[in-house]
Amino acid sequence: MKTPFTWRRTLLGLAAAGVIGHCAAFSFGGEEAVVIPPPALDETTQAHSEKAVFAGGCFWGVQGVFQHVKGVKKAVSGYAGGAANTARYERVSDGDTGHAESVEVTFDPAQVSYGTLLQIYFSVAHNPTELNRQGPDSGTQYRSAIFPENTEQQRVAKAYIAQLNTAHLFNKPIVTTLETYNGFYPAEDEHQDFLTEHPTYPYIVINDLPKVAQLKQLYPERYQEKPVLVKAGSSS
């Protein structure tokens, strides 16, 4: 049996070669968004630029969602939770590095608050009740985790998880962990802007494009049609 990493690489190779043209052969099924209230406690800051790091399964879809959020200046796919010398895709995919596939979001708190990003993260970007997996991907590298960059982010995220668990809006308890931030390492170029550059890849069609559609449906006032891309000159 192929590991999630192996079948995903196989899928990429077949799609790149034109062997797979649609998603019928890989019917994993997408996650449904959950309607949740905003956090009762949010960050207060006068800064015009801040960073937040979120992990929620394959970084292609998480990046794609946040790239469509107004107020986000940049969303970079990468790795967090492990050491610098293991922060590369093939090594992280072994599942024993401590890294999680993550996205570093640079945003303007005057336009979108940290709490709003958390609301989108929990409701649209991933399923926070799945332990060490998301959809077809399994392993600790696909865990649900937040890496707060300051004590205020830690406080807001912890309070929001408690708020959501108390409200019982999900069918299972939230398993998202709050982990020590010890650095973020950008992923390889081929993983940046992946959703935008490969909108017909079966994995993207089934697992990730629905998330962007749900963002637009649930948060129309937060949605921006043109994504904020990492690569200059990328299609949009």
Side-chain angles (χ1 to χ4, degrees):
M1 179 181 292
K2 291 182 173 64
T3 64
F5 169 61
T6 303
W7 70 249
R8 191 155 58 146
R9 286 201 62 177
T10 301
L11 178 57
L12 290 178
L14 291 172
V19 177
I20 298 174
H22 55 80
C23 62
F26 293 86
S27 186
F28 303 122
E31 293 283 352
E32 288 295 324
V34 178
V35 178
I36 59 176
L41 175 68
D42 204 345
E43 186 181 41
T44 56
T45 177
Q46 299 301 314
H48 289 285
S49 185
E50 188 175 346
K51 292 183 178 180
V53 177
F54 304 107
C58 175
F59 42 29
W60 297 340
V62 178
Q63 181 192 47
V65 167
F66 284 116
Q67 286 181 322
H68 281 279
V69 176
K70 291 178 181 177
V72 170
K73 299 177 178 180
K74 196 173 186 181
V76 180
S77 289
Y79 314 103
N85 63 353
T86 59
R88 57 187 188 277
Y89 187 68
E90 292 196 22
R91 184 68 185 85
V92 170
S93 295
D94 288 338
D96 62 356
T97 65
H99 281 296
E101 290 196 13
S102 306
V103 174
E104 181 186 67
V105 180
T106 303
F107 63 101
D108 181 356
Q111 298 183 52
V112 59
S113 71
Y114 179 67
T116 297
L117 294 180
L118 286 174
Q119 185 181 18
I120 291 169
Y121 166 74
F122 282 114
S123 64
V124 172
H126 83 307
N127 181 346
T129 70
E130 291 195 320
L131 182 62
N132 294 331
R133 69 172 300 115
Q134 282 293 305
D137 301 313
S138 63
T140 58
Q141 68 271 33
Y142 301 113
R143 66 188 182 272
S144 174
I146 300 170
F147 297 86
E149 296 201 15
N150 55 56
T151 56
E152 186 74 353
Q153 287 188 2
Q154 172 84 18
R155 188 169 70 97
V156 172
K158 182 178 181 180
Y160 196 32
I161 292 173
Q163 175 187 337
L164 294 176
N165 274 329
T166 299
H168 300 292
L169 297 170
F170 295 90
N171 59 5
K172 293 184 293 184
I174 291 172
V175 297
T176 307
T177 55
L178 300 182
E179 303 186 22
T180 301
Y181 176 81
N182 58 7
F184 174 83
Y185 307 96
E188 298 80 354
D189 284 349
E190 61 263 32
H191 294 295
Q192 305 299 340
D193 306 329
F194 196 92
L195 182 148
T196 298
E197 293 184 349
H198 304 285
T200 61
Y201 270 30
Y203 186 99
I204 295 295
V205 170
I206 297 172
N207 298 290
D208 296 331
L209 289 182
K211 297 177 181 179
V212 177
Q214 289 162 357
L215 172 69
K216 184 176 182 179
Q217 180 182 0
L218 293 183
Y219 304 99
E221 75 285 359
R222 301 291 182 186
Y223 178 80
Q224 59 182 9
E225 190 68 36
K226 185 176 181 180
V228 179
L229 301 176
V230 175
K231 302 175 189 177
S234 291
S235 59
S236 58

Short mmCIF file of all heavy atoms in Angstrom, two decimals, residues 12-35:
data_model
loop_
_atom_site.label_atom_id
_atom_site.label_comp_id
_atom_site.label_asym_id
_atom_site.label_seq_id
_atom_site.Cartn_x
_atom_site.Cartn_y
_atom_site.Cartn_z
N LEU A 12 0.86 13.53 -8.55
CA LEU A 12 1.47 14.72 -9.15
C LEU A 12 2.14 14.36 -10.47
O LEU A 12 2.01 15.07 -11.47
CB LEU A 12 2.49 15.33 -8.20
CG LEU A 12 1.96 15.99 -6.94
CD1 LEU A 12 3.12 16.50 -6.10
CD2 LEU A 12 1.03 17.13 -7.30
N GLY A 13 2.87 13.24 -10.47
CA GLY A 13 3.57 12.84 -11.67
C GLY A 13 2.62 12.50 -12.81
O GLY A 13 2.83 12.90 -13.96
N LEU A 14 1.55 11.78 -12.49
CA LEU A 14 0.56 11.43 -13.51
C LEU A 14 -0.14 12.66 -14.05
O LEU A 14 -0.36 12.79 -15.25
CB LEU A 14 -0.46 10.46 -12.93
CG LEU A 14 0.05 9.05 -12.60
CD1 LEU A 14 -1.03 8.27 -11.86
CD2 LEU A 14 0.48 8.32 -13.87
N ALA A 15 -0.49 13.57 -13.16
CA ALA A 15 -1.18 14.78 -13.60
C ALA A 15 -0.28 15.63 -14.46
O ALA A 15 -0.71 16.18 -15.48
CB ALA A 15 -1.66 15.57 -12.38
N ALA A 16 0.98 15.73 -14.05
CA ALA A 16 1.93 16.54 -14.82
C ALA A 16 2.15 15.95 -16.21
O ALA A 16 2.35 16.66 -17.19
CB ALA A 16 3.25 16.64 -14.08
N ALA A 17 2.05 14.62 -16.29
CA ALA A 17 2.26 13.95 -17.57
C ALA A 17 0.99 13.90 -18.42
O ALA A 17 1.03 13.44 -19.55
CB ALA A 17 2.75 12.52 -17.32
N GLY A 18 -0.10 14.38 -17.85
CA GLY A 18 -1.35 14.40 -18.60
C GLY A 18 -2.10 13.09 -18.56
O GLY A 18 -3.08 12.90 -19.28
N VAL A 19 -1.66 12.13 -17.71
CA VAL A 19 -2.33 10.84 -17.62
C VAL A 19 -3.68 10.98 -16.94
O VAL A 19 -4.65 10.31 -17.28
CB VAL A 19 -1.44 9.82 -16.87
CG1 VAL A 19 -2.16 8.49 -16.71
CG2 VAL A 19 -0.13 9.63 -17.64
N ILE A 20 -3.74 11.84 -15.91
CA ILE A 20 -4.99 12.06 -15.19
C ILE A 20 -5.55 13.42 -15.58
O ILE A 20 -4.89 14.44 -15.42
CB ILE A 20 -4.76 12.03 -13.67
CG1 ILE A 20 -4.24 10.65 -13.25
CG2 ILE A 20 -6.03 12.36 -12.91
CD1 ILE A 20 -3.85 10.57 -11.81
N GLY A 21 -6.74 13.45 -16.10
CA GLY A 21 -7.31 14.71 -16.53
C GLY A 21 -8.47 15.18 -15.68
O GLY A 21 -8.95 16.29 -15.83
N HIS A 22 -8.99 14.31 -14.81
CA HIS A 22 -10.12 14.71 -13.98
C HIS A 22 -10.05 13.94 -12.68
O HIS A 22 -9.17 13.12 -12.47
CB HIS A 22 -11.44 14.45 -14.71
CG HIS A 22 -11.60 13.04 -15.17
ND1 HIS A 22 -11.99 12.03 -14.34
CD2 HIS A 22 -11.40 12.48 -16.39
CE1 HIS A 22 -12.04 10.89 -15.01
NE2 HIS A 22 -11.69 11.14 -16.25
N CYS A 23 -11.00 14.19 -11.78
CA CYS A 23 -10.90 13.68 -10.42
C CYS A 23 -11.65 12.38 -10.20
O CYS A 23 -11.68 11.87 -9.09
CB CYS A 23 -11.41 14.72 -9.43
SG CYS A 23 -13.15 15.12 -9.66
N ALA A 24 -12.26 11.81 -11.23
CA ALA A 24 -13.12 10.66 -11.02
C ALA A 24 -12.38 9.47 -10.41
O ALA A 24 -12.95 8.67 -9.67
CB ALA A 24 -13.76 10.23 -12.34
N ALA A 25 -11.10 9.32 -10.73
CA ALA A 25 -10.36 8.16 -10.25
C ALA A 25 -9.90 8.31 -8.81
O ALA A 25 -9.42 7.35 -8.21
CB ALA A 25 -9.15 7.92 -11.16
N PHE A 26 -10.00 9.49 -8.26
CA PHE A 26 -9.51 9.74 -6.91
C PHE A 26 -10.60 10.45 -6.11
O PHE A 26 -10.55 11.64 -5.87
CB PHE A 26 -8.23 10.57 -6.94
CG PHE A 26 -7.08 9.85 -7.54
CD1 PHE A 26 -6.89 9.86 -8.91
CD2 PHE A 26 -6.20 9.14 -6.75
CE1 PHE A 26 -5.82 9.18 -9.48
CE2 PHE A 26 -5.14 8.46 -7.31
CZ PHE A 26 -4.95 8.47 -8.68
N SER A 27 -11.61 9.71 -5.73
CA SER A 27 -12.77 10.30 -5.07
C SER A 27 -12.63 10.21 -3.55
O SER A 27 -13.14 9.30 -2.92
CB SER A 27 -14.05 9.58 -5.52
OG SER A 27 -15.18 10.22 -5.01
N PHE A 28 -11.89 11.15 -2.98
CA PHE A 28 -11.68 11.16 -1.54
C PHE A 28 -12.82 11.85 -0.80
O PHE A 28 -13.12 11.54 0.34
CB PHE A 28 -10.38 11.90 -1.20
CG PHE A 28 -9.18 11.33 -1.88
CD1 PHE A 28 -8.40 12.11 -2.70
CD2 PHE A 28 -8.83 10.01 -1.69
CE1 PHE A 28 -7.29 11.58 -3.33
CE2 PHE A 28 -7.72 9.47 -2.31
CZ PHE A 28 -6.94 10.27 -3.14
N GLY A 29 -13.43 12.84 -1.43
CA GLY A 29 -14.50 13.59 -0.77
C GLY A 29 -13.96 14.76 0.02
O GLY A 29 -12.95 14.64 0.70
N GLY A 30 -14.59 15.92 -0.08
CA GLY A 30 -14.13 17.11 0.62
C GLY A 30 -14.83 17.27 1.96
O GLY A 30 -15.85 16.66 2.22
N GLU A 31 -14.25 18.11 2.80
CA GLU A 31 -14.84 18.40 4.10
C GLU A 31 -15.87 19.51 3.96
O GLU A 31 -15.70 20.44 3.18
CB GLU A 31 -13.74 18.85 5.08
CG GLU A 31 -12.74 17.76 5.44
CD GLU A 31 -13.30 16.77 6.43
OE1 GLU A 31 -14.40 17.00 6.95
OE2 GLU A 31 -12.63 15.75 6.68
N GLU A 32 -16.94 19.41 4.75
CA GLU A 32 -17.93 20.46 4.77
C GLU A 32 -17.52 21.53 5.79
O GLU A 32 -17.04 21.21 6.88
CB GLU A 32 -19.30 19.90 5.15
CG GLU A 32 -19.94 19.04 4.06
CD GLU A 32 -20.27 19.84 2.82
OE1 GLU A 32 -20.66 21.02 2.96
OE2 GLU A 32 -20.14 19.30 1.71
N ALA A 33 -17.70 22.78 5.43
CA ALA A 33 -17.41 23.87 6.35
C ALA A 33 -18.41 23.85 7.51
O ALA A 33 -19.54 23.38 7.36
CB ALA A 33 -17.48 25.21 5.62
N VAL A 34 -17.98 24.34 8.66
CA VAL A 34 -18.83 24.42 9.84
C VAL A 34 -19.04 25.89 10.18
O VAL A 34 -18.07 26.65 10.28
CB VAL A 34 -18.20 23.68 11.03
CG1 VAL A 34 -19.06 23.81 12.27
CG2 VAL A 34 -17.98 22.21 10.69
N VAL A 35 -20.28 26.29 10.33
CA VAL A 35 -20.59 27.68 10.67
C VAL A 35 -20.32 27.87 12.16
O VAL A 35 -20.91 27.19 13.00
CB VAL A 35 -22.06 28.02 10.35
CG1 VAL A 35 -22.37 29.46 10.76
CG2 VAL A 35 -22.32 27.83 8.85
#
